[in-house]
Amino acid sequence: MLKEIKGSALWLLFLLVALLIPKPKGKKEVVDSNTLEKLLKDALGNDCHLFLVDWKYKIPTYESMWEFLRRDKTDLYKYIPEWLDCDDFSFRLMGQFSIPGWSDIAFGIATSRSHAYNIVVANNEGLKVYLIEPQTDKMQLAKEMRGDEYKTVFVMM
């Protein structure tokens, strides 16, 4: 009985937190997976393996993404090699976006051969692909992220 009450209380707490996080502002454009695939391949190269799990995706504004990242606390965790490292940060940030009003956007996890991070397609005077470093909240155009650390080989959205 106590276990059921704890489970219900945690579920209620999750719903309350989800309701408190502001929904993205502005109308979100909808793109199909073929359009999204083309955007991603143009930004990341044809060698990048894509795993797109939905048929349609909503595109948030660049400003709403920044606002979400500003409020999110993922970047405040302490990095611990092998235990709370880049893949864990990227999965946590992905989980933060898995709430009503945000779970339908073109957001996912990306990896190079040595690093994990997040990726989003946002509208900033046109649809653009951004990489997000979840450990610092740095969000930059995919084409501008330099070094082998950000040479994306896999994306899941």
Side-chain angles (χ1 to χ4, degrees), residues 5 22 38 41 48 76 89-90 108-110 141:
I5 292 171
K38 182 176 179 349
K41 291 286 186 174
C48 182
L76 300 179
F89 276 84
S90 64
I109 293 175
L141 286 170

Side-chain angles (χ1 to χ4, degrees), residues 9 37 47 82 118 134 146:
E37 181 177 346
D47 293 339
E82 295 301 320
N118 297 96
R146 301 286 183 230

Side-chain angles (χ1 to χ4, degrees), residues 35-90:
T35 302
L36 183 60
E37 181 177 346
K38 182 176 179 349
L39 285 165
L40 293 169
K41 291 286 186 174
D42 287 348
L44 305 170
N46 288 322
D47 293 339
C48 182
H49 297 283
L50 303 177
F51 185 58
L52 305 179
V53 297
D54 292 314
W55 291 105
K56 294 182 180 181
Y57 296 81
K58 290 183 181 176
I59 307 297
T61 64
Y62 179 82
E63 293 79 20
S64 66
M65 287 301 302
W66 265 118
E67 181 62 23
F68 191 103
L69 290 172
R70 187 183 69 76
R71 291 174 183 254
D72 175 64
K73 305 299 182 211
T74 300
D75 58 309
L76 300 179
Y77 283 89
K78 183 178 187 269
Y79 178 91
I80 303 170
E82 295 301 320
W83 303 112
L84 187 58
D85 54 6
C86 61
D87 59 314
D88 302 304
F89 276 84
S90 64

